[in-house]
Amino acid sequence: MSISSLQYPSPYAQHNITNQTKPVKPYALMDLDDTLFQTQRKINAWHLPTAEQEKLVCATVNKQGEPLSFMSKRQAHLFHWLYTTTELIAVTARDTNEIKRVKLPFNSWQVLTHGAVIVEPNGKLQTDWQIQIIDKLTPLQTTLSQLIQQIEQLNQIESLNLKLTSHRQLFTDNKNNELIIYLAIKHTQKDHHGLAKFAKRLPCLYPQLADNFYIHVNANNLAILPHAIHKRHAVEFLLTHCLDHERPSFGFGDSLADLPFLQLLDWYGTPNHGQLHDTIHDKIG
């Protein structure tokens, strides 16, 4: 086939593509922690460029209002580009209280608490999604409460140095409808190996755990989550029922737990550090 016989878009079609009066913003679905920002400890461990002290931008604060996580200069530029050229959607493990400590402007949809919560741009919970989640979580409340007691008892007996937090959500105005969503465990001495070792023990300690829950470990974070709670499930609902199907989507995440939701998008990527990057590096070099 000669070059002259190849079919190219007509100049008229090209003109329409490049001269739209109002460019369509793509959706950018973004994990937050360790993707757009991170703690000073991780900045030092990852040797991030443009992360000199005077160039850091505070991204989150702790419960006392003190700076906790930061963006490097490059990350700050990335966020500004995303904010001005896309419809930026946070997809995060942070719950409705923790997201308030993120000092970045988000004015679109938010997927919170590993996907258990979808917040509309007007700040209200997405009703249809929350009905589904309530139906899935309600039968598991007794099991989750028992699991909390058992792990806390084991932690005390064996001096495992674990800190357990139950993430809860009030889905309606009725305080009786506050449900436990998942359990988060950290090692108080930041012993990542010790936490991973404990995660491997869980199926032996609680043989029925896998019937209703899965375990996710990333550095000093261990989560025990119901099968119904996953970022992928929430993002799939969002793409199907809430977003414009003609608009393109892309996203980034640092964790293996992010990969399933990223695979729903048109394009996706990962920072050059973190769990997902390290796994890819280990697999293919």
Side-chain angles (χ1 to χ4, degrees):
M1 179 183 292
S2 66
I3 293 177
S4 60
S5 66
L6 292 174
Q7 297 297 311
Y8 292 94
S10 71
Y12 179 75
Q14 186 179 20
H15 175 78
N16 281 348
I17 292 172
T18 58
N19 292 281
Q20 296 182 46
T21 57
K22 186 177 181 181
V24 174
K25 286 187 175 183
Y27 296 111
L29 286 80
M30 306 296 296
D31 174 58
L32 301 182
D33 292 84
D34 299 337
T35 297
L36 284 176
F37 50 75
Q38 57 286 305
T39 62
Q40 183 69 61
R41 180 177 62 84
K42 291 181 178 179
I43 288 174
N44 297 338
W46 291 330
H47 305 289
L48 295 184
T50 67
E52 295 81 5
Q53 195 70 39
E54 67 275 9
K55 294 181 179 178
L56 292 178
V57 177
C58 179
T60 78
V61 297
N62 61 19
K63 292 180 180 179
Q64 290 72 44
E66 302 163 335
L68 178 62
S69 297
F70 306 89
M71 293 187 292
S72 69
K73 193 68 173 179
R74 284 189 187 178
Q75 289 173 324
H77 285 318
L78 173 65
F79 177 81
H80 183 263
W81 171 69
L82 291 169
Y83 184 74
T84 56
T85 62
T86 74
E87 183 166 344
L88 185 56
I89 298 173
V91 182
T92 176
R94 287 177 175 261
D95 61 30
T96 50
N97 289 319
E98 293 167 334
I99 195 68
K100 295 174 184 177
R101 298 199 288 272
V102 177
K103 299 304 178 182
L104 300 175
F106 292 102
N107 52 21
S108 182
W109 298 84
Q110 296 179 14
V111 175
L112 307 178
T113 325
H114 285 285
V117 174
I118 295 178
V119 180
E120 298 176 347
N122 61 15
K124 297 181 180 180
L125 301 189
Q126 209 290 331
T127 303
D128 294 337
W129 179 247
Q130 301 317 153
I131 290 173
Q132 292 185 38
I133 293 300
I134 292 170
D135 288 344
K136 296 288 179 61
L137 286 178
T138 300
L140 298 177
Q141 294 304 292
T142 299
T143 303
L144 282 163
S145 296
Q146 292 172 346
L147 194 57
I148 291 171
Q149 294 176 354
Q150 291 167 346
I151 293 175
E152 288 181 337
Q153 186 177 29
L154 183 68
N155 184 38
Q156 186 175 12
I157 293 172
E158 298 189 14
S159 300
L160 297 175
N161 295 315
L162 302 177
K163 180 183 178 182
L164 186 150
T165 303
S166 60
H167 287 260
R168 303 165 185 260
Q169 177 68 40
L170 184 64
F171 287 102
T172 68
D173 294 334
N174 185 349
K175 292 185 178 180
N176 294 326
N177 283 340
E178 184 178 59
L179 300 177
I180 305 171
I181 297 176
Y182 77 99
L183 309 183
I185 302 174
K186 293 180 179 287
H187 195 282
T188 58
Q189 306 303 316
K190 293 184 169 57
D191 182 355
H192 299 180
H193 176 72
L195 191 64
K197 187 177 179 180
F198 177 71
K200 290 181 178 179
R201 288 181 61 193
L202 283 170
C204 298
L205 292 169
Y206 312 108
Q208 307 303 316
L209 191 67
D211 292 345
N212 296 303
F213 304 94
Y214 67 99
I215 299 167
H216 170 62
V217 185
N218 185 10
N220 196 38
N221 297 289
L222 187 162
I224 303 174
L225 301 114
H227 291 305
I229 305 302
H230 202 291
K231 290 179 179 179
R232 179 184 173 91
H233 303 329
V235 168
E236 187 171 28
F237 178 90
L238 198 63
L239 292 170
T240 303
H241 300 287
C242 305
L243 303 185
D244 182 348
H245 295 183
E246 293 190 356
R247 291 169 63 178
S249 63
F250 70 94
F252 291 95
D254 74 288
S255 166
L256 288 173
D258 293 323
L259 186 57
F261 97 76
L262 293 173
Q263 290 174 324
L264 296 171
L265 309 179
D266 297 313
W267 300 273
Y268 66 88
T270 188
N272 64 352
H273 53 262
Q275 186 185 50
L276 181 52
H277 171 267
D278 292 347
T279 301
I280 294 171
H281 183 271
D282 292 343
K283 294 287 185 182
I284 62 177

